[in-house]
Amino acid sequence: LGKDVPKDAFAWQDPVPAGTKVSKAQVAKLKKKIAASSLSAAELVRVAWASASTIRASDMRGGANGARSRLAPQKDWEGNEPERLAKVLAVLEPLATAAGASVADAIVLGGVVGVEKAIAASGHSVSVPFTPGRGDASAEQTDVDSFSVLEPLADGFRNWQKEDYTVSTEDMMLDRAQLLGLTAQEMIVLIGGMRSLGTNHGGTQHGVFTQRPGVLSNDFFVTLTDMGYRWDPAED
């Protein structure tokens, strides 16, 4: 801030155009269109998570603003499941254009729709808050080399790790949670919630602990704390 800040915007600054202004009516219309699409709750949440979970509280890089998950290098990151990502974006992008909204807003709103679907499947009705106003960055505004350092090497929330590392999986999850700016309670709720929604990387069943994936429930915690089970570390 101040008079000495250069007026030029450089790609290494991760510039994002001004957000698209949309009315409540436009948001409601877009939300209805997303809900009526062929996309499942898990698919919508996966893509919203891939977009938002790159945020780093340390330097405020990454995040959903800019919709860079549709651009290189993010669209090709293994953790984002490129084929699944492309499938969801192919549905959301034209819907966003038709509604006069940014793709970034459509991605986040898709996550809202996914969570609300999972809540409805549990027999409840809750309106998840949503605030529009994000912009869409272009490839020219994205420094691929600079952005590559944001690639996640592990995502404990979706039970995925790119390779075997000397650092433990638990430490990597805690580091990720810290970068996301989460409290301990928020980290735990997200782990259980993401498992119940069936958002594991590759659709694996490891650690899901529910017989009804796609329903936002507390099954994960009920199973985890059930005294009828004994927990032993896996040999591998």
Side-chain angles (χ1 to χ4, degrees):
L1 300 175
K3 64 180 181 180
D4 295 324
V5 176
K7 294 180 180 179
D8 295 327
F10 301 97
W12 59 264
Q13 294 175 306
D14 301 341
V16 177
T20 305
K21 294 182 179 180
V22 290
S23 65
K24 288 184 178 180
Q26 287 174 295
V27 170
K29 183 178 179 181
L30 176 57
K31 187 176 181 181
K32 192 173 181 180
K33 292 282 187 181
I34 294 173
S37 73
S38 59
L39 300 175
S40 68
E43 287 174 326
L44 290 167
V45 172
R46 277 193 193 104
V47 170
W49 177 259
S51 181
S53 64
T54 54
I55 189 69
R56 305 199 305 188
S58 57
D59 58 8
M60 305 310 294
R61 293 192 68 196
N65 197 14
R68 284 189 164 90
S69 59
R70 75 196 200 289
L71 305 173
Q74 224 175 315
K75 67 181 181 66
D76 301 313
W77 287 348
E78 182 182 331
N80 286 347
E81 298 182 86
E83 289 187 8
R84 289 177 185 265
L85 176 64
K87 173 191 172 183
V88 175
L89 290 178
V91 175
L92 293 181
E93 288 183 357
L95 291 180
T97 300
S102 66
V103 178
D105 273 347
I107 290 172
V108 177
L109 187 59
V112 167
V113 170
V115 173
E116 288 185 353
K117 280 187 173 184
I119 292 172
S122 71
H124 300 278
S125 178
V126 176
S127 179
V128 177
F130 172 77
T131 302
R134 298 163 190 82
D136 291 334
S138 66
E140 291 73 27
Q141 293 171 319
T142 305
D143 187 319
V144 174
D145 292 333
S146 174
F147 218 82
S148 293
V149 301
L150 272 69
E151 180 181 3
L153 302 179
D155 187 351
F157 298 95
R158 295 186 55 216
N159 215 342
W160 170 79
Q161 185 168 298
K162 189 173 183 179
E163 298 175 12
D164 289 329
Y165 301 100
T166 54
V167 180
S168 73
T169 54
E170 295 89 344
D171 284 343
M172 295 185 82
M173 185 177 71
L174 288 171
D175 181 64
R176 182 71 178 274
Q178 182 272 140
L179 278 176
L180 288 170
L182 300 175
T183 64
Q185 292 91 338
E186 289 167 341
M187 178 186 74
I188 296 302
V189 167
L190 271 170
I191 292 171
M194 296 285 276
R195 293 288 192 280
S196 69
L197 288 170
T199 59
N200 270 3
H201 187 277
T204 65
Q205 295 302 303
H206 302 307
V208 173
F209 300 160
T210 182
Q211 297 299 316
R212 42 181 192 158
V215 176
L216 191 59
S217 69
N218 65 350
D219 290 0
F220 177 86
F221 302 108
V222 170
T223 303
L224 197 65
T225 57
D226 192 324
M227 296 305 289
Y229 296 109
R230 187 184 76 186
W231 299 93
D232 295 313
E235 292 182 2
D236 58 355

